[in-house]
Amino acid sequence: MEYVWAILYILVMLAVLGLNVLGLPANWVLLGLGWVWDLMHPGLSLGWGFYAPLLALAIAGEAIEFGAQFYGAKKYGGTNKGNIGAFIGAIAGAIFCAPFLMGFGALLGAVGGAYLGCYVFERLHGRPSSEAWHAAKGAMWGRVFGFVIKAGAGGAMLAIIAREVWPAARQAVVVLGI
């Protein structure tokens, strides 16, 4: 029966990982699910050696997601004002487009919003259209790259937690002393 619960829990974690596509804090929910599994199994007692990498991955995923957008716009000639527009546009696009395409509109809205927000802010502050377009393209590709890295960090978190959830893996760790 322990295998059935482990499979169900891993499937729930896989579904939670999909929340990244919807622009939701999936990596933080995964961290919480790891903690809940630990609470449900008092004999397991996972310590800081387990939670520290998970916390580091969650923080790094968020930082890289927003940092890549900032760096992308800067690399393509964007200004700080353009980056502010890209951040505002990404958030607004994710919120307003979330109801479309069964929730997948949030991802497209965030990417398109980063592009549009950067372009509009660059144009409002006197940049020529060609320069604003170029900077917006950088913000958009940075946003895409950041999303991919954040989802990858979530996948790594899922693998770390699944190793503790799966009964056979946990028993091998105890037997082998890994």
Side-chain angles (χ1 to χ4, degrees):
M1 190 67 177
E2 190 174 358
Y3 287 100
V4 173
W5 288 114
I7 289 169
L8 289 174
Y9 210 75
I10 290 170
L11 288 174
V12 166
M13 289 190 304
L14 279 170
V16 165
L17 184 61
L19 294 177
N20 272 322
V21 175
L22 304 177
L24 296 172
N27 295 357
W28 296 103
V29 175
L30 282 173
L31 180 64
L33 286 174
W35 181 68
V36 168
W37 186 264
D38 191 13
L39 287 178
M40 289 172 33
H41 296 83
L44 194 57
S45 68
L46 303 171
W48 280 105
F50 174 75
Y51 290 110
L54 293 177
L55 187 60
L57 282 167
I59 291 170
E62 296 292 337
I64 291 172
E65 181 183 30
F66 285 105
Q69 179 181 319
F70 176 80
Y71 177 75
K74 283 290 189 185
K75 183 177 180 186
Y76 281 69
T79 64
N80 287 336
K81 291 178 175 97
N83 264 315
I84 291 170
F87 286 124
I88 292 170
I91 292 169
I95 291 170
F96 290 123
C97 294
F100 302 107
L101 299 172
M102 297 182 300
F104 291 105
L107 176 62
L108 298 176
V111 170
Y115 178 87
L116 188 61
C118 184
Y119 179 81
V120 167
F121 271 57
E122 293 287 355
R123 290 291 290 151
L124 285 175
H125 290 93
R127 301 280 308 269
S129 183
S130 62
E131 290 178 17
W133 178 82
H134 196 63
K137 186 170 68 169
M140 178 190 71
W141 285 115
R143 183 73 182 174
V144 170
F145 177 73
F147 165 75
V148 169
I149 295 297
K150 181 180 175 182
M157 291 173 68
L158 178 91
I160 292 169
I161 297 169
R163 182 173 181 219
E164 295 300 326
V165 168
W166 192 250
R170 200 166 358 104
Q171 291 168 357
V173 167
V174 172
V175 171
L176 298 175
I178 300 174

